[in-house]
Amino acid sequence: MINGGSEFCEVFFTDVLVPKADLVGRENDGWSVAKRLLQFERDSVSQGEFLPKGGALPDVLKRYAPDDAAARDTVVRLEMDRAAFALTRRRAVQERKGGGTGTFVTSAFKMLSSELESRKLEAIVSMMGAQGLGWTGDGFDAEELASTRKWLLSKGFLIAGGSSEVQRNVIAKRVLGLPD
């Protein structure tokens, strides 16, 4: 993987026969089952369960860019976006507990959370300058090396569970009711 990990694998099934008793859903309706599973994955991603935990923005700002007004502005904007997202998630959870049903809004949460985390990690690496681009070597401490790998890993979360473009399409069709 781009961050040096190797967590992926592929399994191919060719000419597999499955007993009718093991059929999930209706025959030839696997995509409906898969879409529902993707909703669960997107919900998990949007809760940050799979997202890499980056450093605290204010700490990175103090260490690497204490006098950079643009960096301070970026930190404030990202922290405000994070707080707004957390409050929106909390409201959605409350609505679900109150009898609401899970909807395709998971696509919006997945898209927003992965993009917000990616923007945060991008800002961290940017504030770190050359120290945010370390892969190995004595010129970088463990936190700097970890930040680089987290930033690179976050790029995959813009794709996992459906890219942001796919999420926007789902939102347009299922949440906003726009035509196919």
Side-chain angles (χ1 to χ4, degrees):
M1 292 175 34
I2 192 172
N3 71 327
S6 58
E7 298 155 11
F8 291 113
C9 72
E10 288 183 284
V11 177
F12 296 92
F13 298 98
T14 305
D15 299 324
V16 174
L17 298 175
V18 178
K20 283 187 179 186
D22 294 335
L23 181 66
V24 177
R26 293 186 311 265
E27 188 173 351
N28 297 320
D29 199 26
W31 180 233
S32 295
V33 174
K35 286 189 293 186
R36 181 58 83 187
L37 291 172
L38 281 169
Q39 276 187 276
F40 285 108
E41 179 182 358
R42 291 168 182 158
D43 190 49
S44 295
V45 170
S46 72
Q47 293 179 46
E49 292 178 20
F50 299 109
L51 296 174
K53 302 301 179 218
L57 280 167
D59 295 340
V60 173
L61 178 67
K62 287 177 195 171
R63 180 174 174 189
Y64 294 97
D67 300 322
D68 187 336
R72 280 195 306 272
D73 183 59
T74 297
V75 169
V76 169
R77 288 179 188 277
L78 284 167
E79 289 294 321
M80 288 172 48
D81 288 348
R82 183 203 53 76
F85 178 76
L87 290 170
T88 302
R89 285 264 328 146
R90 188 179 313 156
R91 186 183 73 219
V93 168
Q94 295 293 334
E95 288 174 0
R96 220 180 282 167
K97 286 180 182 175
T101 59
T103 66
F104 287 95
V105 78
T106 55
S107 290
F109 286 148
K110 185 277 177 193
M111 181 189 72
L112 290 170
S113 66
S114 56
E115 288 186 359
L116 182 59
E117 189 67 13
S118 184
R119 284 178 32 221
K120 177 182 112 176
L121 293 167
E122 187 81 35
I124 287 171
V125 168
S126 177
M127 283 185 268
M128 293 171 72
Q131 294 306 115
L133 298 175
W135 188 258
T136 186
D138 295 335
F140 305 99
D141 64 30
E143 184 179 325
E144 292 165 343
L145 295 173
S147 292
T148 301
R149 292 177 191 257
K150 289 175 191 171
W151 166 64
L152 291 170
L153 182 63
S154 76
K155 300 305 178 186
F157 285 104
L158 295 171
I159 301 168
S163 69
S164 294
E165 292 76 16
V166 167
Q167 302 316 315
R168 285 182 177 90
N169 197 17
V170 171
I171 293 163
K173 292 176 184 177
R174 305 290 183 255
V175 178
L176 301 176
L178 297 176
D180 286 338

